[in-house]
Amino acid sequence: MTDQATATESDTSGIPGKPTSASRTTLSHIMTHNDTNLLGTVHGGVIMKLVDDAAGAVAGRHSGGPAVTASMDEMAFLEPVRVGDLVHVKAQVNWTGRTSMEVGVRVLAERWNESTPPTQVGSAYLVFAAVDADGKPRRVPPVLPETEKDRRRYQEAQIRRTHRLARRRAIMELREKRAAEGLDD
């Protein structure tokens, strides 16, 4: 059984699945002096906002409506971004649950006035929750991986989800234990 079949069969809501390519997007932005930090390179927060914007667009497209950022993890800054760089933020849905989606993002940069290939300067994984008009969670279509790369990303996203849930469980258990011992934080 393929992951694509698994994604389709695991959906009991009757919502038809959507292929990975249906919501994939690229957001491009040229970096200016307004984007710099005290070191003269582009501020990490500027890149994080672009990442969240692109991921939010993908989540909204995939889910067919509003989606809110639930978490961002594994944000990695691999290279500094400079003023004059043309930054491309590429995002796609890697995995879907009942009401949530993991969106993978790659950040590339190239000099605005050169014809050299872009360099990967960052990556991140974000989890979005689809919401209705009242802000309540709503079901999302399953993602249908199309390529071997998409299937690998789907499987890796399942591992990250398992780790996120285990971490949350361990933290809640520790807090309950400390509260039972009368330790206030």
Side-chain angles (χ1 to χ4, degrees):
M1 178 182 297
T2 67
D3 289 324
Q4 185 170 359
T6 302
T8 304
E9 291 173 14
S10 65
D11 178 49
T12 58
S13 69
I15 300 173
K18 286 186 178 179
T20 307
S21 62
S23 57
R24 187 179 289 141
T25 194
T26 300
L27 172 70
S28 297
H29 189 79
I30 200 156
M31 298 291 107
T32 68
H33 288 287
N34 292 335
D35 302 316
T36 60
N37 58 28
L38 296 175
L39 299 175
T41 56
V42 173
H43 194 288
V46 170
I47 300 299
M48 290 174 73
K49 181 174 182 340
L50 293 173
V51 164
D52 191 44
D53 287 347
V58 166
R61 280 180 170 185
H62 183 83
S63 69
V68 296
T69 310
S71 70
M72 174 188 262
D73 61 27
E74 296 187 40
M75 179 74 210
F77 296 101
L78 307 172
E79 302 268 342
V81 177
R82 302 172 292 161
V83 169
D85 280 354
L86 180 57
V87 172
H88 308 285
V89 183
K90 298 178 176 280
Q92 75 172 47
V93 174
N94 290 334
W95 176 90
T96 53
R98 195 171 52 81
T99 61
S100 64
M101 304 155 273
E102 183 196 88
V103 178
V105 181
R106 287 182 49 224
V107 183
L108 306 161
E110 62 182 310
R111 295 307 293 165
W112 69 273
N113 60 348
E114 296 174 8
S115 59
T116 56
T119 302
Q120 185 170 351
V121 296
S123 65
Y125 300 101
L126 296 89
V127 176
F128 279 79
V131 295
D132 63 18
D134 297 322
K136 303 285 188 228
R138 62 181 174 80
R139 288 200 170 272
V140 299
V143 66
L144 304 176
E146 298 172 281
T147 67
E148 276 307 311
K149 209 180 257 191
D150 292 341
R151 284 185 275 284
R152 175 186 54 79
R153 289 175 176 151
Y154 184 91
Q155 291 170 332
E156 290 173 358
Q158 289 177 306
I159 293 168
R160 282 187 294 274
R161 180 176 188 273
T162 300
H163 288 183
R164 280 190 291 269
L165 293 174
R167 183 178 58 231
R168 182 185 311 153
R169 228 180 355 265
I171 289 169
M172 294 309 292
E173 288 170 5
L174 177 64
R175 288 179 181 173
E176 288 171 8
K177 179 182 175 206
R178 289 180 61 82
E181 293 171 354
L183 299 172
D184 272 339
D185 290 337

